[in-house]
Structures are given as C-alpha cells and as structure tokens.
C-alpha cells in the first residue's frame, strides 16, 4: 500500500516550488492546510529546516524557513491523526542531545506522531555561523543518527559513546511517546542512499526522475539484504506537481493534470517500483484552491492508489 503526504506550503518559500500566494500567507494558512491534510487521509505533513540563508543564495532559496520543531508542535495541537515529518532536519547543526530534547518533546506532545527526517545539509555559511563542521557533515550525520537512536529511545538515561559525541548518566524527560521514533534519511547522492539503507527506517529522495528512482530503490534493497537488515523500510518518492481535474490556468508542462483516474494510473507506477510513501504537491493560486485540490486527491485519486 502507498500512503501519501505533503510538504507544507508557507513554511519554506524557495523560488523552485513556492506559489505566489504563499508570500502573503501566514499561520492561519498553515493551520488550514494541516487540518485539511488531517481530514483527507494524508499520512504526514512536513516542514523543512534552515537556520539562516546567505545573501548569495537568497534569490533562489528565499529567507522564509520556519523552524520545524516550533512549526510541527504548533500544528500537533491543531490536528489529530496526521504524522509530523521533519523533511529534513539538518541535525549536524546541533548537538544530538539538543535535537533529541526538542523532537522527543514533539513526539510526546503529539501522542507519537513524529517522523524524524534527517539530512546532511548543503549551505556552508550556515554551518560556519553556528560552529558546525561542514566539510565532514556526512560523517557527523552518520554518528548523529546513532546518537539520536539512543537519545530518542525509551531509556531515561540514554548512552552513546562515539568519536564526536559522548553522553551517559544524563536524564532526559519527557520520553517520546513512540518506543522507536522512525528515522527517514534524506538525499539522493550515493552516500545518502547508502546511509538511508544502512541507518534509516526509510528514505526521502530529492525528487529523482522515475527511472533513476527505481534504480536507487533497488540499490537500497541490495544494500540492506547484504547487511542482513530485515526490518520494515519505507521507500519514498516525490511525485511530479499535480492538479486534479482540468486546470483553467497554466500549471506548467511537468504538472500531471487530468481526471482522477488518469492521475491514479500514473501514480500507481511508483507503488509498482516499491515506493511506500508518496509525497505530493499541488499547483494552486490560493489557499482555498490548494485545500480543494487536497480534498479532491484524498477522495477521488487516493482510493485508486
């Protein structure tokens, strides 16, 4: 079975994907979209993570990046069932105990709805500003995942003794509501794919084309088999932009648009290659149109996936 989730609008406004209406949007719009996701069967809503954007990247990335812990906690109180995903937390910017304290609290407050998506990050100035190691961020992420496994486990006094981080006899409560918080690893580089396969409970690709995605899913399967890992694993995908129905405006040539049955037929190809969770994004000119698109997808497309 393929579940579907979405990156929230408003909370990150890169020129690559933000719609014009988001520039004037705010907390009320985030709430409305999260509640719509909760009502229409979405498995998760997701929030990105950047601390600060350098001027050289601001034209493309923008500087609107809500904090994921604050945002997901805010939305947890307004929703009931939808899961809360950090897509992705750049955990190398912070000590693992700081990250664990924040996300354990999110999981506790939400009744066990956290999915911790993690990634290496790519903005050098951001790392330098907070004193984090940009050059070795991949190795730092590898150890940070191990440290977070311990710090987000059931033990009140978690223990990790590693090359960069070491802690024991330090109590942290509240504990997560989940006995094992799912960790999904983001990225499509060879190192990220390998990290997801060997250290994650799931993989968050960066929007790979379908043929590339299929090859990477097969590589993850092979790596996990070779390592003797038999636990459940969720392969993710980011679908092409969607519009349910016939748009009366220019939605872009890459957008999949049309009757629900046609969209479902196209999207079923992801499930056939092994995708377990599909991240969807809808073209829209307003919050109202976005919520309507979400409702149409949940009632008319999703049942055919």
């Amino acid at each position: 079975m393929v579940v579907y989730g979405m990156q929230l609008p408003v909370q990150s406004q890169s020129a690559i994907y933000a719609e014009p209406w988001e520039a004037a949007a705010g907390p009320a719009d985030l709430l409305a979209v999260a509640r719509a996701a909760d009502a229409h069967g979405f498995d998760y809503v997701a929030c990105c993570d950047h601390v600060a954007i350098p001027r050289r990247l601001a034209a493309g990335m923008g500087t609107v990046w809500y904090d994921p812990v604050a945002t997901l906690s805010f939305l947890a109180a307004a929703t009931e069932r939808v899961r809360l995903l950090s897509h992705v937390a750049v955990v190398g910017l912070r000590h693992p105990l700081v990250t664990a304290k924040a996300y354990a609290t999110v999981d506790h407050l939400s009744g066990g709805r956290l999915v911790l998506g993690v990634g290496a990050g790519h903005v050098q100035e951001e790392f330098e500003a907070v004193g984090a190691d940009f050059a070795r961020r991949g190795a730092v992420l590898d150890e940070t995942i191990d440290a977070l496994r311990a710090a987000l486990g059931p033990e009140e006094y978690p223990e990790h003794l590693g090359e960069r981080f070491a802690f024991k006899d330090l109590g942290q409560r509240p504990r997560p509501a989940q006995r094992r918080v799912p960790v999904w690893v983001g990225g499509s580089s060879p190192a990220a794919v390998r990290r997801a396969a060997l250290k994650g409970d799931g993989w968050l690709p960066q929007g790979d084309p379908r043929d590339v995605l299929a090859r990477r899913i097969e590589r993850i399967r092979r790596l996990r088999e070779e390592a003797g890992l038999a636990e459940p694993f969720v392969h993710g995908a980011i679908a092409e932009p969607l519009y349910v129905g016939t748009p009366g405006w220019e939605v872009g040539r890459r957008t999949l648009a049309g009757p629900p049955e046609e969209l479902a037929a196209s999207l079923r190809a992801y499930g056939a290659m092994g995708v377990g969770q599909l991240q969807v994004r809808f073209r829209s000119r307003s919050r109202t149109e976005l919520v309507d698109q979400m409702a149409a997808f949940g009632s008319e497309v999703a049942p055919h996936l």
Side-chain angles (χ1 to χ4, degrees):
M1 185 181 79
V2 178
V3 299
Y4 55 98
M6 67 179 288
Q7 188 81 244
L8 288 162
V10 183
Q11 54 80 31
S12 65
Q13 296 188 29
S14 167
I16 297 172
Y17 52 74
E19 299 285 11
W21 67 266
E22 296 178 50
D29 303 283
L30 268 176
L31 277 175
V33 174
R35 285 171 171 154
D38 207 37
H40 297 299
F42 285 69
D43 181 65
Y44 65 79
V45 291
C47 185
C48 298
D49 181 24
H50 278 290
V51 171
I53 307 301
R55 288 185 186 273
R56 70 177 178 88
L57 298 176
M61 293 182 65
T63 57
V64 177
W65 296 85
Y66 286 33
D67 178 79
V69 172
T71 304
L72 296 176
S73 296
F74 173 63
L75 297 176
T79 55
E80 295 181 357
R81 49 150 299 276
V82 71
R83 293 200 290 174
L84 308 162
L85 168 66
S86 58
H87 188 179
V88 289
V90 185
V91 291
L93 296 173
R94 307 164 183 92
H95 191 284
L97 282 180
V98 175
T99 299
K101 166 60 75 174
Y103 282 103
T105 304
V106 172
D107 196 63
H108 177 79
L109 292 173
S110 67
R113 289 190 279 143
L114 173 69
V115 180
L116 182 59
V118 300
H122 65 95
V123 180
Q124 183 171 349
E125 294 94 327
E126 191 172 36
F127 278 72
E128 292 171 347
V130 300
D133 188 346
F134 180 77
R136 301 195 65 198
R137 64 194 183 280
V140 170
L141 176 55
D142 285 337
E143 184 179 339
T144 297
I145 293 173
D146 294 338
L148 287 172
R149 288 288 193 198
L152 289 172
E155 298 299 326
E156 179 180 355
Y157 292 89
E159 181 172 330
H160 171 79
L161 302 175
E163 180 182 343
R164 297 166 184 83
F165 309 112
F167 50 83
K168 66 176 182 177
D169 299 327
L170 294 169
Q172 283 195 328
R173 296 182 70 186
R175 304 309 303 150
Q178 299 178 87
R179 186 167 183 84
R180 180 182 174 93
V181 172
V183 176
W184 292 358
V185 178
S188 292
S189 69
V193 170
R194 182 176 182 83
R195 180 178 299 118
L198 300 182
K199 290 185 173 290
D201 302 302
W203 175 50
L204 293 163
Q206 289 180 309
D208 301 321
R210 295 188 186 201
D211 59 334
V212 174
L213 185 73
R215 295 198 300 271
R216 288 180 174 149
I217 287 174
E218 183 54 37
R219 180 170 182 248
I220 289 174
R221 286 175 170 161
R222 187 172 64 253
L223 286 168
R224 290 181 62 80
E225 182 178 345
E226 291 170 354
L229 298 173
E231 297 84 359
F233 187 91
V234 180
H235 298 278
I238 299 176
E240 299 85 350
L242 303 174
Y243 194 91
V244 184
T246 303
W249 56 290
E250 179 53 54
V251 294
R253 63 181 181 83
R254 288 191 62 250
T255 299
L256 297 179
E261 299 82 2
E262 291 184 10
L263 293 183
S266 178
L267 295 176
R268 279 198 297 270
Y270 286 105
M273 70 176 73
V275 168
Q277 69 85 6
L278 185 63
Q279 187 168 124
V280 294
R281 179 170 73 87
F282 305 96
R283 295 303 318 275
S284 61
R285 294 164 291 179
S286 67
R287 182 185 93 187
T288 299
E289 185 169 32
L290 174 57
V291 169
D292 288 347
Q293 283 287 301
M294 294 169 66
F297 186 88
S299 63
E300 301 174 35
V301 180
H304 303 292
L305 295 181

